Amino acid sequence: MAPNGAFMTRTRRYAEVEALLGDRPCARCQGVGIAPLPETGGPRRYARCRCQRPLDQARAFNAALIPRTYSSFTLENWLVSDAGQAHVRQVAERWVTEVEQATELHRVPFLVLTGGPGVGKTHLAVALLRRLILDGKRPGLPMSARFLEPSVLAQGFKNGEALHLQDRLAADLVVLDDVVAPRTDFERAVIDELISRRYRTGGPCIVTTTLSAQEFGETLGARIASRLFEGRLTWVAGRDRRMGMTA
């Protein structure tokens, strides 16, 4: 956990947005942020002005609490080196399109990225979150999102920290990063709770794991494995991008 680094990332992002907006007042809202809707003959109606969308997107992205190490991950720098990775990217981009076009977000299935260490699963998950928040085509306010690491949450619970899990899982988009074989019954219970709650509430969820469907069933039980792998499952193969070894 690096709150100072996260704060610096947020500050830089706000500075970028402010530079983008500049000092020029919006012709539509005159800098107020609220603009009138077209007249329909009834009472005058107002809505958030379009000029506020870049700032709204920046706030939504920062609220996801993505670790600073991952903050620069994009689809553009997720390099494709073979046909298998090209297929993974196609599956991921189709899932993003499905989210953007969904009229009911709770019906969007999980996206499960499984594969060896270092092949780019977390990179891809963050890149998809970034695409949906900062470049999202859904109308209205940007989606809310949360980046969650089950092992970190389990440690927090063990230390008695109030983590407001229900609020975090209620975000429009949730990333559960690095779901691994639990070392204790307590960790198993936390992973079970995370996946079960998100499954019940529905909504887009990206899960990254090194476990196969069979390993998931063996370590976490058939019920959780069934709920998780009901969604879009894609195997991310290739070289370990950190070590240069084949995974």
Side-chain angles (χ1 to χ4, degrees):
M1 186 173 182
N4 291 335
F7 175 77
M8 290 173 64
T9 300
R10 288 196 293 271
T11 303
R12 281 197 298 271
R13 183 63 194 173
Y14 285 137
E16 290 171 9
V17 173
E18 289 171 357
L20 177 66
L21 295 176
D23 298 326
R24 303 182 303 277
C26 172
R28 188 163 177 258
C29 72
Q30 299 303 315
V32 176
I34 303 295
L37 294 173
E39 295 188 21
T40 59
R44 195 64 183 270
R45 298 179 303 152
Y46 295 82
R48 192 156 178 80
C49 185
R50 290 190 298 268
C51 72
Q52 298 297 303
R53 188 164 181 81
L55 186 57
D56 291 338
Q57 290 173 320
R59 286 171 174 160
F61 185 73
N62 293 329
L65 301 179
I66 297 169
R68 185 182 179 188
T69 307
Y70 309 148
S71 62
S72 63
F73 289 170
T74 67
L75 276 177
E76 288 68 31
N77 58 33
W78 193 81
L79 302 179
V80 173
S81 59
D82 56 43
Q85 291 182 351
H87 173 71
V88 169
R89 178 161 176 160
Q90 289 173 358
V91 170
E93 291 182 332
R94 284 199 300 267
W95 184 83
V96 167
T97 300
E98 187 174 355
V99 173
E100 292 179 333
Q101 296 178 351
T103 55
E104 297 178 297
L105 280 177
H106 70 274
R107 295 186 180 276
V108 175
F110 280 41
L111 174 66
V112 183
L113 304 174
T114 181
V119 294
K121 302 181 298 298
T122 298
H123 185 145
L124 185 56
V126 171
L128 297 178
L129 184 152
R130 176 187 291 273
R131 171 69 63 87
L132 285 167
I133 301 302
L134 296 181
D135 304 314
K137 297 179 175 60
R138 291 184 63 81
L141 291 173
M143 297 171 64
S144 60
R146 291 293 182 274
F147 182 95
L148 305 177
E149 297 171 281
S151 59
V152 175
L153 291 174
Q155 188 61 42
F157 277 125
K158 192 172 183 180
N159 294 338
E161 298 175 6
L163 296 174
H164 307 291
L165 185 58
Q166 184 171 350
D167 292 341
R168 298 186 185 195
L169 288 174
D172 295 326
L173 170 63
V174 171
V175 173
L176 297 180
D177 184 54
D178 199 20
V179 178
V180 298
R183 292 167 295 182
T184 65
D185 290 340
F186 183 76
E187 287 187 5
R188 181 178 291 103
V190 170
I191 295 173
D192 186 303
E193 183 70 8
L194 285 169
I195 294 174
S196 295
R197 282 202 192 190
R198 189 61 183 183
Y199 182 84
R200 289 194 298 269
T201 60
C205 182
I206 305 172
V207 178
T208 71
T209 180
T210 56
L211 302 175
S212 66
Q214 180 179 345
E215 290 170 331
F216 230 100
E218 293 171 350
T219 58
L220 290 161
R223 178 177 61 86
I224 292 299
S226 175
R227 289 180 171 183
L228 186 63
F229 292 103
E230 179 183 302
R232 306 280 188 274
L233 169 64
T234 184
W235 175 264
V236 185
R239 298 173 65 83
D240 185 322
R241 298 175 187 227
R242 294 186 291 264
M243 303 289 291
M245 299 181 299
T246 301

